[in-house]
Amino acid sequence: MNFNDRLKKAQKLWKEARKKAGESSSFESEIPDGKYLAKLRSATMGESNNSGRLQVCFEWEILDGEYEGKRAFNYQGLETEDNLTYLGRDLLRLGLPVPEDLTDIQEVLDQCPGMISRITLKTKGEFQNLYIGKMINTDDESNVRTTARGADS
């Protein structure tokens, strides 16, 4: 099969692929560097699609400003001492316990959804990093609203 025939065959798949690519666009860095109020939607363990490394994926939803509703992600590896140190620090920033036994980590991660924090997005090279800042007390609804309007945290 020559090049053009192969391209025509691929064309049949292109329509659905374009649709799927559009659905995953929230995964790309559409949010500029800066500080945002965000809600932690999920914290799940899995493997990196690219490298196969064991990691935790934190999915955040921006709650304020022009990018409200957009999703931001950060990933913490589980395979090196440095990776685990960063994960432990993130858990402490979230006000969560650092379990004695790593096999108990999912129980801790299950407590994450719904937490609200001021996050910072900062690009280094080709990657955008997400840093967890001050946690916002969600028991005080007015505190969340004041913070979302731009009060400095």
Side-chain angles (χ1 to χ4, degrees):
M1 187 179 297
N2 70 30
F3 180 81
N4 286 333
D5 290 338
R6 290 171 59 198
L7 189 59
K8 286 178 185 177
K9 183 177 179 183
Q11 176 63 33
K12 294 176 184 176
L13 304 172
W14 184 236
K15 183 178 180 181
E16 190 63 27
R18 284 184 59 211
K19 180 181 171 189
K20 287 179 182 176
E23 289 171 356
S24 67
S25 65
S26 64
F27 189 77
E28 298 168 10
S29 177
E30 295 179 10
I31 307 167
D33 288 357
K35 292 187 178 193
Y36 301 91
L37 185 67
K39 178 183 267 191
L40 189 51
R41 288 291 176 192
S42 65
T44 55
M45 287 192 306
E47 291 183 352
S48 165
N49 290 336
N50 294 332
S51 68
R53 113 181 148 155
L54 189 60
Q55 65 185 13
V56 173
C57 172
F58 293 94
E59 179 183 0
W60 296 86
E61 179 182 355
I62 305 298
L63 297 178
D64 61 344
E66 179 180 348
Y67 299 96
E68 184 175 347
K70 295 283 186 185
R71 303 291 169 122
F73 299 84
N74 70 309
Y75 303 90
Q76 294 294 354
L78 297 172
E79 295 184 347
T80 70
E81 187 174 343
D82 282 346
N83 291 159
L84 293 167
T85 299
Y86 293 127
L87 174 62
R89 287 178 184 164
D90 279 354
L91 293 176
L92 291 171
R93 281 187 193 102
L94 292 168
L96 296 170
V98 177
E100 283 285 321
D101 188 334
L102 188 59
T103 61
D104 294 332
I105 194 71
Q106 189 59 57
E107 292 172 28
V108 174
L109 296 175
D110 289 343
Q111 299 174 47
C112 290
M115 294 183 155
I116 296 176
S117 175
R118 181 65 68 179
I119 62 169
T120 301
L121 298 176
K122 187 172 186 179
T123 301
K124 290 183 181 177
E126 61 182 271
F127 298 102
Q128 187 175 55
N129 295 310
L130 186 150
Y131 301 97
I132 300 169
K134 181 180 178 185
M135 294 303 300
I136 308 301
N137 182 357
T138 56
D139 293 335
D140 180 359
E141 193 77 22
S142 63
N143 188 16
V144 174
R145 285 197 196 111
T146 300
T147 304
R149 284 194 303 266
D152 197 31
S153 56

